[in-house]
Amino acid sequence: MKKNQETMAEKIEDETNDRVPLRLRPEWSDVTPIPQNDGPNPVVPINYSEEFSEVMDYFRAVYFANELSSRALSLTAEAISLNAGNYTVISQFEFLFTFLNSDLMQIEINYSLILINYEFMS
């Protein structure tokens, strides 16, 4: 059984390594990420992963710019996959989904895949 767990962990690591950072994606070249500002002396600094920090920095940029686009919708889905408990991201996803009159079937498929990955990673 330990052998299977190692294989699954390796598979997850391989999938993570295939991710292209947002800063290297041409469709995001016009966006300046907004880093989280915890002030000069955060009480309890959190050591976020590089991937999480990058996605949230881009999320803040499109959120504060009030960007209503399919790429913003995709970004919110990516942010949800990294933290399914972020109410602001989920709320923005729902708003963009409704505003853009998105394809419900494709969104449900993507959301299901996010949930499956979330359960698998837990």
Side-chain angles (χ1 to χ4, degrees), residues 3-17:
K3 178 73 172 163
N4 287 343
Q5 290 174 342
E6 290 172 357
T7 304
M8 284 192 273
E10 290 169 1
K11 182 178 178 185
I12 292 168
E13 186 176 334
D14 287 345
E15 289 174 2
T16 303
N17 290 338

Side-chain angles (χ1 to χ4, degrees), residues 106 108-118:
Q106 188 59 47
E108 286 181 354
I109 290 169
N110 291 344
Y111 183 70
S112 297
L113 292 172
I114 289 168
L115 291 178
I116 290 167
N117 287 332
Y118 179 75

Side-chain angles (χ1 to χ4, degrees), residues 65-119:
N66 198 29
E67 180 176 323
L68 307 174
S69 67
S70 59
R71 76 174 181 174
L73 181 64
S74 296
L75 180 65
T76 58
E78 194 169 342
I80 290 169
S81 74
L82 297 171
N83 180 7
N86 187 319
Y87 176 78
T88 302
V89 175
I90 292 170
S91 177
Q92 185 68 1
F93 179 86
E94 292 173 347
F95 175 78
L96 289 168
F97 174 80
T98 303
F99 180 83
L100 297 170
N101 195 21
S102 297
D103 178 10
L104 182 57
M105 179 63 78
Q106 188 59 47
I107 296 297
E108 286 181 354
I109 290 169
N110 291 344
Y111 183 70
S112 297
L113 292 172
I114 289 168
L115 291 178
I116 290 167
N117 287 332
Y118 179 75
E119 289 299 318

